[in-house]
Amino acid sequence: MEADASDKKVGGLDQAELKELTELKARDREVRAHEAAHQAAGGQYAGAMSFSYQRGPDGAQYAVGGEVSIDISPVNGNPQATIEKMRVVRSAAMAPAEPSGQDRAVAAQAMQIMLQAQSELASEGESSSPSSKDSANDTNEASGVSPATDDAQESVSAQSPRSVEQARTAYQSVAGFGSGLDSPGDGFLPISV
């Protein structure tokens, strides 16, 4: 009796099971690479990778989803440190070759927090004397902050508080953040596939 091509078994698996196994293995590699990119770029602010698994036709477990938590809480009392931290967080969120919707949302929230910190920094600059403003610029140059950041801070400080708030509200609207989508109280958000 001749067997149909689709009924042939390779290693105890039929063609459909082999196809599923190939897809699961590819997904597993993709998920692990995605989460490793988040973790590597997030450095000290990234948590451990966690995965959700699916059992393959060969009985092995394959990662089909995953996440890395990342600390998005601002640095209390230090807007400049918050700006630097949010740059790392944003970079971590966008590190994979194909960022997910959740990745993009975390990056947008990091940008929102960064803008708030820049606004705080600009407010501090307005209330300080010219000599302390010069020392702040010296600090920025020493820490490697680009001139574009200084320009952005000056343009924010030149705007009225109302226009800064309108810009923040517009950004939140475009980024998909509203009052109901605030971060959890612990300051960590998952970056996931």
Coordinates of all heavy atoms in Angstrom, one line a residue, residues 34 93-94 98-108 175 177 190-193:
H34 N 13.9 39.7 20.4 CA 13.2 40.9 20.7 C 13.4 41.3 22.2 O 13.7 42.5 22.5 CB 11.7 40.7 20.4 CG 10.8 41.9 20.5 ND1 10.3 42.6 19.4 CD2 10.3 42.5 21.6 CE1 9.6 43.6 19.9 NE2 9.5 43.5 21.2
A93 N 12.9 50.7 24.6 CA 11.6 50.4 24.1 C 11.6 50.2 22.6 O 10.9 49.3 22.0 CB 10.5 51.4 24.5
M94 N 12.4 51.0 21.9 CA 12.5 51.0 20.5 C 13.7 50.1 19.9 O 13.9 50.1 18.7 CB 12.6 52.4 19.9 CG 11.4 53.3 20.3 SD 9.8 52.6 19.8 CE 9.9 52.9 18.0
E98 N 11.5 45.3 15.1 CA 10.1 45.5 14.9 C 9.4 45.8 16.2 O 8.9 44.9 16.8 CB 9.5 44.4 14.2 CG 10.0 44.2 12.8 CD 9.3 43.0 12.0 OE1 8.2 42.8 12.3 OE2 10.0 42.4 11.2
P99 N 9.5 47.0 16.8 CA 8.8 47.3 18.0 C 7.3 47.1 18.0 O 6.7 47.4 17.0 CB 9.1 48.8 18.3 CG 10.2 49.2 17.3 CD 10.1 48.2 16.2
S100 N 6.8 46.5 19.1 CA 5.3 46.2 19.2 C 4.6 47.5 19.5 O 5.2 48.5 19.8 CB 5.1 45.2 20.2 OG 5.4 45.7 21.5
G101 N 3.3 47.4 19.5 CA 2.5 48.6 20.0 C 2.8 49.0 21.4 O 2.8 50.1 21.7
Q102 N 2.9 48.0 22.3 CA 3.3 48.2 23.7 C 4.6 48.9 23.7 O 4.8 49.8 24.5 CB 3.3 46.9 24.5 CG 3.7 47.1 25.9 CD 2.7 47.9 26.8 OE1 1.6 48.0 26.4 NE2 3.2 48.4 27.9
D103 N 5.6 48.5 22.9 CA 6.9 49.1 22.9 C 6.8 50.6 22.5 O 7.4 51.5 23.2 CB 7.8 48.4 21.9 CG 8.1 47.0 22.2 OD1 7.9 46.5 23.3 OD2 8.5 46.3 21.2
R104 N 6.0 50.9 21.5 CA 5.8 52.3 21.1 C 5.1 53.1 22.2 O 5.4 54.3 22.3 CB 5.0 52.3 19.8 CG 5.8 51.7 18.6 CD 5.0 51.7 17.3 NE 5.6 50.9 16.3 CZ 6.6 51.2 15.6 NH1 7.2 52.3 15.8 NH2 7.1 50.4 14.7
A105 N 4.2 52.5 22.9 CA 3.5 53.2 24.0 C 4.5 53.5 25.1 O 4.4 54.6 25.6 CB 2.3 52.3 24.5
V106 N 5.3 52.6 25.4 CA 6.3 52.9 26.5 C 7.3 54.0 26.0 O 7.6 54.9 26.8 CB 7.1 51.6 26.9 CG1 8.3 51.9 27.8 CG2 6.2 50.6 27.6
A107 N 7.7 53.9 24.8 CA 8.6 55.0 24.2 C 7.9 56.3 24.3 O 8.5 57.3 24.7 CB 9.0 54.6 22.8
A108 N 6.6 56.4 24.0 CA 5.9 57.6 24.0 C 5.7 58.1 25.4 O 5.9 59.3 25.7 CB 4.5 57.5 23.4
A175 N 0.1 60.6 21.3 CA 0.8 59.4 21.7 C -0.1 58.4 22.2 O 0.3 57.3 22.5 CB 1.8 59.8 22.8
F177 N -1.9 58.7 25.1 CA -2.0 58.7 26.6 C -3.0 59.7 27.0 O -3.1 60.8 26.5 CB -0.6 59.2 27.2 CG 0.4 58.2 27.0 CD1 1.4 58.4 26.0 CD2 0.4 57.0 27.7 CE1 2.4 57.4 25.9 CE2 1.4 56.1 27.5 CZ 2.4 56.3 26.6
P190 N 5.7 47.0 31.3 CA 6.2 45.9 30.5 C 6.5 46.4 29.0 O 5.7 47.1 28.5 CB 5.2 44.8 30.5 CG 3.9 45.6 30.7 CD 4.2 46.8 31.5
I191 N 7.6 46.0 28.5 CA 7.8 46.1 27.1 C 7.7 44.7 26.5 O 8.4 43.9 26.9 CB 9.2 46.7 26.8 CG1 9.5 47.9 27.6 CG2 9.4 47.0 25.3 CD1 11.0 48.4 27.5
S192 N 6.7 44.5 25.6 CA 6.5 43.1 25.2 C 6.3 43.0 23.7 O 6.1 44.0 23.0 CB 5.2 42.6 26.0 OG 4.1 43.4 25.6
V193 N 6.3 41.7 23.3 CA 6.1 41.4 21.9 C 4.6 41.4 21.7 O 3.8 40.9 22.4 CB 6.7 40.0 21.6 CG1 6.5 39.7 20.1 CG2 8.1 39.9 22.0

